[in-house]
Amino acid sequence: SDAGPHGLAIIDFFVDTNDSGAFEDTQDTGFRVASDYNLATWEGWRQISHPMSETGISEADLGKIVAIRLLLISDKNAQPDPPLQVDFGIDYLIFTEGAALEL
């Protein structure tokens, strides 16, 4: 993150609840991880861990995740006019089982 006040991180998991093998917008379920990662509190790289148990996805649905969307965007509604540049990036997206990643 660039430690600016206008960055948002949003993570969505899409679950194939009707067992069709793909996500169907009108039939399947999406779960959004709370975007409370305050990107304004640090500059540089940071490890973020979020337990799947906090997403609302059941154990049965964890095996049916067919898509993940990760958005790093500017909170346009909070931006001044003209808007400021927002800089951030993702390095490694890693999933672990049973515990957070230990470095």
Side-chain angles (χ1 to χ4, degrees):
S1 173
D2 64 358
H6 304 295
L8 293 175
I10 298 172
I11 305 170
D12 293 325
F13 295 91
F14 297 100
V15 176
D16 178 19
T17 53
N18 66 355
D19 297 322
S20 69
F23 180 76
E24 297 172 275
D25 194 31
T26 59
Q27 298 179 31
D28 292 325
T29 306
F31 293 88
R32 177 160 285 172
V33 172
S35 57
D36 56 1
Y37 306 123
N38 187 349
L39 301 181
T41 60
W42 82 89
E43 183 173 353
W45 294 98
R46 177 178 163 199
Q47 177 182 337
I48 297 175
S49 293
H50 194 92
M52 292 302 287
S53 60
E54 295 178 9
T55 64
I57 301 174
S58 71
E59 279 289 324
D61 286 342
L62 283 175
K64 296 181 178 185
I65 293 174
V66 291
I68 299 170
R69 177 174 50 200
L70 177 61
L71 300 171
L72 299 174
I73 60 174
S74 170
D75 183 1
K76 186 77 168 162
N77 293 330
Q79 283 274 22
D81 189 20
L84 301 172
Q85 171 101 16
V86 176
D87 292 313
F88 35 64
I90 292 291
D91 196 353
Y92 290 101
L93 187 60
I94 299 171
F95 294 89
T96 60
E97 185 175 346
L101 177 67
E102 292 186 33
L103 298 177

